[in-house]
Amino acid sequence: MQHRGLEIRYCPPGFGVHTKYWPYLLESALDVPLVLSDDDIVYPATWLEGLMRVHLQHPEHVVAYRAHVIGMSDDSFLPYATWRSCDDDEPSFAHFATSVSGQILPIPLQQALLDQGDVFRSLTPSADDVWLHRTAVISGYRTRQVAAGQQHWWFIPGSQVSGLNALNVGSGANDVQIAAAHTTLSRERIAADLFGG
């Protein structure tokens, strides 16, 4: 693959799940959209094309194949495990993208992430999607799906024996990190889109 243009870079240890984007932000010109994906998924041949098509139509949004609708009660978040699947392709601060099916970040959002620094190491150490969404909301970027319904591709066989899903969803670590990361501003923006305020 390297002969066809694949570039492989060394990443220093210590960033955990944030390794998929943070070293890139530190070392790159941030002049192209950034596509994120997980390493335990088999993606279809048209996967990248679909992300880019919608990004080019809506460069002011985070674009993802799979999102949840955030659940809230007043200004508090409901447990992550209770959030429903997103069933539309409209933009919203209340849409929470997951990198498992892939998402694309606009260039200015990458700079916003860089400007936030690496405080994610203490606030969301095992939840990169939480940090990405929180920073997008604070920076004014809504999330939209490529299509009206969630899309989830195939797991690599044997890759789900252990992993972040068990920790973040099954053990409730997402809820702790969501509560820690969000600010008054991000909560207000999510609630306004969610409740029509």
Side-chain angles (χ1 to χ4, degrees):
M1 294 295 289
Q2 286 178 284
H3 294 295
R4 299 172 59 189
L6 175 68
E7 182 180 357
I8 300 173
R9 296 186 185 180
Y10 168 78
C11 294
F15 298 118
V17 294
H18 298 273
T19 299
K20 73 175 63 160
Y21 71 90
W22 184 247
Y24 171 84
L25 299 181
L26 291 174
E27 299 176 4
S28 302
L30 308 185
D31 55 359
V32 294
L34 177 59
V35 176
L36 303 178
S37 63
D38 283 2
D39 61 2
D40 54 1
I41 299 292
V42 178
Y43 295 97
T46 58
W47 170 80
L48 182 58
E49 178 184 352
L51 283 172
M52 282 302 299
R53 174 178 47 80
V54 179
H55 169 74
L56 291 173
Q57 294 169 347
H58 305 283
E60 72 279 15
H61 298 141
V62 174
V63 176
Y65 275 106
R66 180 175 182 262
H68 300 307
V69 178
I70 295 172
M72 293 188 81
S73 176
D74 298 320
D75 65 346
S76 297
F77 294 105
L78 298 177
Y80 177 85
T82 68
W83 296 0
R84 65 178 176 86
S85 299
C86 184
D87 59 4
D88 65 66
D89 59 359
E90 297 299 315
S92 176
F93 289 128
H95 290 171
F96 178 90
T98 66
S99 292
V100 67
S101 291
Q103 61 178 313
I104 187 166
L105 308 182
I107 295 169
L109 176 54
Q110 297 172 50
Q111 184 61 54
L113 285 161
L114 186 60
D115 292 345
Q116 290 288 314
D118 67 354
V119 69
F120 59 78
R121 296 172 95 166
S122 60
L123 294 178
T124 60
S126 67
D128 54 315
D129 290 337
V130 171
W131 185 252
L132 294 169
H133 177 261
R134 167 257 192 218
T135 304
V137 172
I138 289 173
S139 304
Y141 290 90
R142 289 178 167 90
T143 296
R144 71 185 311 135
Q145 285 189 147
V146 171
Q150 281 189 348
Q151 297 182 58
H152 197 305
W153 317 120
W154 307 274
F155 283 116
I156 294 173
S159 66
Q160 301 305 299
V161 175
S162 63
L164 287 176
N165 189 59
L167 172 67
N168 286 341
V169 181
S171 297
N174 267 353
D175 297 323
V176 174
Q177 294 171 94
I178 289 165
H182 277 281
T183 66
T184 299
L185 174 62
S186 60
R187 290 168 189 267
E188 289 175 349
R189 287 182 170 175
I190 293 166
D193 275 9
L194 190 61
F195 303 125

